[in-house]
Amino acid sequence: MTTSASPADRYAASRRRVGADGPRLTDFQRLYDFEFDEFQLAACRALDSGHGVLVAAPTGSGKTVAGEFAVHLALAEGKKCFYTTPIKALSNQKYSDLVRRYSAASVGLLTGDNSINSDAPIVVMTTEVLRNMLYAGSAALAGLGYVVLDEVHYLADRFRGAVWEEVIIHLAQSVRLTALSATVSNAEEFGEWLSQVRGGTTVIVDEHRPVPLWQHMLAGNRLYDLFASPRGSSRAASNGSGGPGTAKNGGRRAMVNPELLRIAQREGLGRPRQVDGRGSYGRPQRGGHRPPRSRPPIRAAVIARLDAAGLLPAITFIFSRAGCDAAVLQCLDAGLRLTTPEEADEITALAAERTAGIPDRDLPVLGYDAWLAGLQRGVAAHHAGLLPTFKEVVEELFEAGLVRAVFATETLALGINMPARTVVIERLDKWNGETHADLTPGEYTQLTGRAGRRGIDVEGHAVVLWHPGMDPASVAGLAGTRTYPLNSSFQPSYNMAVNLVGQVGRQRAAALLESSFAQFQADRGVVGLARQAGRLRAEMEQLAVGCEHGDIAEYAALRQELSSREGDQARRRSAARRDEAVASLGRLRRGDIIQVPGGRRAGVAVVIDPVTADGQPLPLVLTENRQLKRLSLADFPVPVSAIDRVRIPPSFSGRSASQRRDLAATVRNKLTGHELARPRRAQRGEDGRGEDAEIAQLRRTLRQHPCHQCQDREGHLRQAERYLRLAREVEALEQRVAGRSHVLARTFDRVCAVLEELGYVRGDAVTAEGRRLGRLYTELDLVAAECLRRSAWDGLSAPELAACVSALTFESRRLDDAAPPRLPGGRVREVLADMVRLWGDLDAVERGHRLSFLREPDLGFAWAAHAWASGMDLQRALGDRTPGDFVRAVKQLIDLLDQIAAAAGQSPLAKTARQAIDALRRGVVAYSSVA
């Protein structure tokens, strides 16, 4: 039994803490209405003593306290503090938090979209803004004492991760760094690198969640605990991994709930039955037929079940924007209401206030009424397709407890402070842009980390919805694994190279890149590889390899050479078949009906477009099931020829379902009475027998070798082949060691060679064109610089320039979108064609230097950019895009146009770029809720 401390004891403890922590930390703690955890105190003490810190802790644990103490120290010392975040929405949120604490006069915001009070002592910004400041030698860096890198684990992002490492490497050594990360398994390794490049850095790792998280599965209408403790309790948390049916729990094994395992065995609740056209879980279907494919559960029923259990507010993660929107509509159709009339009125007033700046004519286009109807009932969607203002309102209402059920994509888990009592995960796989991939343990933990609001909830809850075939032990493995390494994605870019060479010269620049976390990890990997090669060499020395009849190693080498030549012959046959197939594809024409011989697309199809945009003979076809698909060589193991033809009207649009249906029907009618031939098999060998003179000679030599007559030949061979296999592994490991050593410096040399060939650098000198390239921060930086140098955009109007530049910022979400992009008329088509040809030239230069950094320009937003810059109304300019995608694409375009205006100096192009920015920044694009 414990007794509470007396007032005198608490006062004495407080005095002891003041003595231990010092006045600055003590004053800081008074700003909060809760006692700091030990890891928060440790981080603050390290900062107060002059150290940098790396804090790795779970989502919602309060690690931002360390970042806020860096702000407090900067103000106390009369220095500046830059608080950086990975996304603009999080910057906006942090700016609002700091303004509430320190006043608007003390806090600024720089995100590309907004520039507010940029000379303030505390400035919140995206990490890219700080990187650009460092390369530009901005005067704003004067007096900088502290930098906070929130969500520093973003440096693993393959698209943007390099920015974090650039900032860490280039910040002045006098700046103290506070790096805040989600829990990663190699925090000590990352901290060691920080100490190496930044000096003294204290690493603080805390895996304890301040709000315990309980894991559940919802099957039917029943909520099961995922784990059962060894003593029979139905509750256990998960902090490790175990074998089937178990998971580690704080160092001991926690059993998966036996009831769930029994459900999995009998698949009873796993088979859906039909209810009003939607899936619902009940008794298994009769008969031995394969159960139908799982359908989404009735979301309204899930929310109602959580509400009855007192588990709202909840975030349900659905890995589809359309799925999130559909979930809200399902809840509305089901009559679900989670608010009182008074709360609905409050929601209506707040939504009206926050959207007052949006033109009334645009509200219907944005789906305002449906969005508001969901909010009024306490239900909302949250995904990147929503208008940013709509997302911010959802976040504000959720934080206020007025919206109690949010259906979100995984982007919500990336930094926005929006915790819930419960997190629901509908499926354990998601589309990653290429295929449906299982959730990783790190992704699962990131998502469920939202569950449990510190200071509000006693415990948080993670709920996985049951689906047929789901293995509870696998779910337990996801919930219990704690191995999430942070791996660098750093590589030099053209913009980075000219900036580095301009600042410190090529030799020093290469040395700076060698100090990156990427090279640090590569060097550590080299040690492990070398150790592994040493072990294999020792194993080779212990092998007894010999034969009394002759040289068994020589005999083994002969056998391997014979096997290799036979393999080469088979590959040549395959290549010949492939060449024949490619030649047959080159003969196809629009309207040809073909029998696709192999692959996932096997069957009848009609050719819509016989070649790709770059002239490759890979036909775009309409399949039997009316799908437009771009075929690959894998679909043609043998040649193909047309079996008939149909006429396809020039106006045919693959986007039109009715036109696809009509064309498919025409093909079926055309083939009535046809007997489709089976795809012929490829012949064996070039001449049908498949043998050449060298192989025949090797076989004779092998039979004549003395070891061929040995009765123990196969045993001796196994030893010899084992020896040779180890030798090959050692050679491969040593090649990997050589490949990893100075890998970034070698890549940097190739990047500089490209820049030298194109005239952007000359030795250690950066040319005028190179300095202009150094001001262009975009994935296609070199393409943009070449467009400027070649005057590709001169003479364009503001809408035309917006259309052309959009090809460098826009990237289609649907990579398999077969329909050709809609383009404006006039000079835009000509200039875009020139830009694509220019990219082809640069791509050839890159390939000559063994690089491939530049993707092809994407023309998919050109018409929309031109239309919006020309003053077209939102409904027409939006097309089939979501408002969120549209606004994001326009803002990215504005950002690059702003860079082009700066890089173009006093030229007419600079004026046109600014006119384009003004024309684009209107309506929903101009509106921002940040004051």
Side-chain angles (χ1 to χ4, degrees):
M1 180 176 178
T2 59
T3 57
S4 59
S6 68
D9 290 338
R10 289 198 298 272
Y11 177 75
S14 175
R15 291 295 299 270
R16 286 194 297 272
R17 280 198 303 274
V18 171
D21 294 339
R24 298 198 296 187
L25 179 50
T26 302
D27 290 344
F28 178 65
Q29 290 184 75
R30 291 195 184 106
L31 300 173
Y32 295 82
D33 57 4
F34 60 86
E35 291 285 330
F36 283 6
D37 289 341
E38 189 52 44
F39 87 93
Q40 294 168 323
L41 288 171
C44 293
R45 288 166 184 156
L47 280 170
D48 203 16
S49 64
H51 273 230
V53 294
L54 165 64
V55 183
T59 300
S61 62
K63 55 181 173 285
T64 54
V65 163
E68 289 162 3
F69 186 54
V71 171
H72 184 81
L73 289 177
L75 290 174
E77 296 170 8
K79 296 179 179 178
K80 291 182 181 179
C81 178
F82 289 169
Y83 197 113
T84 77
T85 76
I87 54 178
K88 295 173 183 177
L90 188 55
S91 291
N92 293 341
Q93 191 176 73
K94 200 68 202 178
Y95 167 78
S96 299
D97 292 344
L98 292 174
V99 164
R100 281 193 293 269
R101 172 166 294 172
Y102 294 111
S103 82
S106 300
V107 185
L109 176 69
L110 289 172
T111 64
D113 289 343
N114 291 293
S115 177
I116 302 171
N117 198 19
S118 59
D119 294 327
I122 295 119
V123 183
V124 183
M125 61 184 67
T126 49
T127 317
E128 279 88 350
V129 170
L130 177 54
R131 185 271 311 271
N132 299 353
M133 281 185 176
L134 290 167
Y135 281 145
S138 171
L141 297 169
L144 182 62
Y146 295 84
V147 164
V148 180
L149 293 179
D150 204 351
E151 311 283 351
V152 74
H153 52 272
Y154 260 78
L155 68 77
D157 184 271
R158 67 191 182 101
F159 297 111
R160 301 172 56 214
V163 173
W164 277 259
E165 292 191 50
E166 291 176 80
V167 165
I168 291 167
I169 291 169
H170 296 309
L171 274 174
Q173 288 296 315
S174 59
V175 176
R176 264 178 277 175
L177 195 67
T178 303
L180 309 177
S181 170
T183 306
V184 293
S185 56
N186 62 334
E188 289 79 8
E189 177 189 41
F190 183 51
E192 186 178 340
W193 172 71
L194 285 174
S195 293
Q196 183 174 296
V197 296
R198 303 290 317 158
T201 301
T202 301
V203 179
I204 296 162
V205 178
D206 185 74
E207 295 189 4
H208 171 72
R209 279 182 54 95
V211 180
L213 178 65
W214 302 111
Q215 306 280 346
H216 312 276
M217 291 185 73
L218 182 64
N221 195 38
R222 184 173 173 187
L223 199 61
Y224 295 85
D225 287 302
L226 178 58
F227 295 109
S229 71
R231 283 187 274 185
S233 168
S234 64
R235 290 227 165 160
S238 53
N239 290 311
S241 59
T246 67
K248 288 183 182 176
N249 171 28
R252 65 183 188 279
R253 289 193 179 275
M255 298 298 297
V256 177
N257 190 333
E259 291 184 80
L260 285 173
L261 295 175
R262 284 193 290 272
I263 292 172
Q265 288 171 357
R266 70 174 184 262
E267 287 284 342
L269 290 173
R271 299 183 183 180
R273 56 187 172 87
Q274 293 298 307
V275 177
D276 297 330
R278 289 175 290 187
S280 177
Y281 297 114
R283 288 173 291 183
Q285 297 183 352
R286 296 176 182 269
H289 299 291
R290 181 179 179 183
R293 185 177 179 182
S294 170
R295 290 175 172 80
I298 299 175
R299 278 106 177 203
V302 173
I303 299 301
R305 176 68 183 87
L306 296 177
D307 192 21
L311 297 182
L312 295 183
I315 298 171
T316 300
F317 284 107
I318 303 172
F319 305 117
S320 157
R321 297 175 176 185
C324 293
D325 293 335
V328 174
L329 292 177
Q330 289 172 19
C331 291
L332 295 179
D333 291 344
L336 182 71
R337 182 179 292 277
L338 304 174
T339 57
T340 65
E342 293 75 19
E343 288 172 331
D345 290 342
E346 186 178 348
I347 289 168
T348 303
L350 188 140
E353 177 187 344
R354 296 291 185 268
T355 59
I358 300 176
D360 290 342
R361 65 180 180 277
D362 291 342
L363 292 178
V365 182
L366 300 172
Y368 178 83
D369 289 342
W371 171 72
L372 181 60
L375 294 180
Q376 289 168 335
R377 296 194 185 185
V379 181
H382 189 289
H383 55 73
L386 283 178
L387 190 71
T389 303
F390 285 14
K391 284 197 298 180
E392 291 163 13
V393 171
V394 170
E395 292 159 14
E396 185 173 354
L397 291 173
F398 192 80
E399 187 176 355
L402 294 171
V403 165
R404 297 189 174 93
V406 167
F407 300 94
T409 56
E410 70 272 23
T411 53
L412 177 60
L414 302 177
I416 296 297
N417 182 25
M418 195 170 156
R421 179 168 297 163
T422 302
V423 161
V424 180
I425 298 179
E426 280 205 350
R427 301 196 66 88
L428 296 178
D429 68 303
K430 66 173 184 175
W431 180 255
N432 63 9
E434 298 176 357
T435 185
H436 281 280
D438 292 338
L439 284 185
T440 66
E443 289 169 333
Y444 182 90
T445 298
Q446 183 81 12
L447 297 173
T448 57
R450 293 281 162 198
R453 298 164 296 176
R454 185 168 188 170
I456 301 174
D457 298 317
V458 177
E459 57 193 29
H461 301 267
V463 178
V464 175
L465 301 188
W466 176 271
H467 284 282
M470 188 176 282
D471 179 9
S474 297
V475 181
L478 278 177
T481 301
R482 288 292 181 271
T483 53
Y484 324 120
L486 181 61
N487 294 314
S488 173
S489 61
F490 183 84
Q491 67 175 3
S493 68
Y494 297 113
N495 170 279
M496 183 195 304
V498 293
N499 277 302
L500 284 176
V501 171
Q503 286 184 347
V504 297
R506 283 177 69 162
Q507 185 173 356
R508 173 68 180 139
L512 278 172
L513 294 178
E514 295 262 77
S515 68
S516 68
F517 187 44
Q519 191 62 56
F520 181 84
Q521 289 189 309
D523 291 343
R524 285 202 155 192
V526 162
V527 174
L529 291 173
R531 190 179 296 120
Q532 186 179 352
R535 286 197 299 267
L536 293 180
R537 285 195 179 279
E539 188 176 343
M540 288 170 62
E541 292 173 2
Q542 295 174 2
L543 283 174
V545 180
C547 175
E548 59 273 17
H549 288 79
D551 189 341
I552 191 66
E554 181 183 69
Y555 183 77
L558 275 172
R559 284 236 303 210
Q560 284 191 354
E561 185 178 358
L562 175 60
S563 176
S564 174
R565 286 185 179 274
E566 289 174 336
D568 288 344
Q569 186 188 56
R571 283 188 288 275
R572 284 196 299 273
R573 288 198 298 265
S574 176
R577 289 196 300 271
R578 186 168 59 250
D579 291 344
E580 190 179 350
V582 170
S584 73
L585 290 175
R587 293 189 288 270
L588 293 179
R589 296 294 179 264
R590 180 178 171 92
D592 282 348
I593 303 173
I594 61 173
Q595 177 83 23
V596 182
R600 293 184 296 126
R601 321 289 188 208
V604 173
V606 60
V607 176
I608 305 298
D609 186 354
V611 297
T612 62
D614 57 356
Q616 295 296 313
L618 299 175
L620 174 71
V621 301
L622 181 71
T623 64
E624 291 174 288
N625 56 0
R626 304 194 297 274
Q627 289 185 323
L628 277 178
K629 295 295 179 183
R630 179 72 68 180
L631 301 181
S632 69
L633 285 177
D635 297 310
F636 297 94
V638 295
V640 65
S641 59
I643 55 180
D644 212 323
R645 285 183 60 80
V646 294
R647 181 181 177 278
I648 302 176
S651 60
F652 174 81
S653 171
R655 290 181 180 271
S656 169
S658 62
Q659 292 188 39
R660 293 199 306 270
R661 183 177 60 248
D662 292 345
L663 180 57
T666 302
V667 171
R668 284 196 302 272
N669 294 335
K670 190 78 171 178
L671 294 181
T672 301
H674 267 273
E675 183 177 347
L676 298 180
R678 291 178 176 272
R680 64 184 178 87
R681 293 181 177 273
Q683 289 184 337
R684 184 181 176 189
E686 291 97 337
D687 59 0
R689 292 182 299 276
E691 180 140 324
D692 63 19
E694 290 184 352
I695 289 177
Q697 179 59 45
L698 273 173
R699 286 180 176 155
R700 286 193 294 273
T701 303
L702 194 70
R703 287 193 294 269
Q704 293 167 4
H705 195 281
C707 292
H708 193 69
Q709 311 306 321
C710 178
Q711 292 184 350
D712 295 329
R713 179 185 67 197
E714 295 305 317
H716 293 159
L717 270 175
R718 282 193 293 273
Q719 288 286 87
E721 287 171 352
R722 169 71 176 155
Y723 184 91
L724 291 173
R725 186 164 61 251
L726 289 172
R728 288 194 300 272
E729 290 179 16
V730 168
E731 183 182 4
L733 286 169
E734 289 174 345
Q735 287 177 350
R736 288 174 64 189
V737 167
R740 288 193 179 194
S741 300
H742 309 292
V743 62
L744 284 175
R746 289 199 301 273
T747 303
F748 179 71
D749 286 341
R750 292 199 287 271
V751 167
C752 288
V754 168
L755 294 171
E756 190 135 28
E757 179 176 336
L758 296 172
Y760 288 96
V761 297
R762 293 194 186 98
D764 277 355
V766 177
T767 64
E769 290 85 359
R771 288 191 293 274
R772 188 162 58 190
L773 169 60
R775 303 180 73 172
L776 298 170
Y777 300 95
T778 176
E779 184 184 1
L780 296 179
D781 48 9
L782 197 55
V783 180
E786 283 292 293
C787 286
L788 285 169
R789 182 160 70 172
R790 301 186 190 190
S791 303
W793 298 324
D794 286 6
L796 293 175
S797 67
E800 289 172 336
L801 180 63
C804 293
V805 173
S806 75
L808 306 184
T809 58
F810 182 74
E811 193 165 5
S812 300
R813 292 186 66 238
R814 298 185 294 275
L815 299 180
D816 61 344
D817 193 349
R822 184 180 181 184
L823 298 177
R827 280 197 63 205
V828 173
R829 294 177 183 234
E830 175 188 339
V831 173
L832 286 172
D834 288 343
M835 290 171 63
V836 173
R837 282 192 290 271
L838 187 156
W839 164 81
D841 295 341
L842 295 176
D843 183 60
V845 174
E846 279 195 318
R847 287 200 305 271
H849 293 279
R850 290 178 294 151
L851 293 174
S852 181
F853 287 172
L854 302 172
R855 64 166 175 83
E856 184 175 355
D858 191 323
L859 316 186
F861 197 66
W863 186 89
H866 186 276
W868 188 247
S870 299
M872 184 177 286
D873 63 81
L874 179 63
Q875 183 167 11
R876 293 173 63 200
L878 201 59
D880 61 356
R881 291 184 182 86
T882 66
D885 285 338
F886 178 80
V887 170
R888 188 179 312 104
V890 174
K891 287 189 173 182
Q892 288 171 345
L893 173 56
I894 288 172
D895 191 34
L896 182 54
L897 283 167
D898 190 46
Q899 296 173 33
I900 289 169
Q906 301 301 315
S907 70
L909 177 63
K911 180 179 179 181
T912 306
R914 294 188 183 95
Q915 289 171 345
I917 292 170
D918 292 339
L920 291 166
R921 190 178 281 141
R922 64 183 179 87
V924 293
V925 176
Y927 180 71
S928 172
S929 62
V930 177

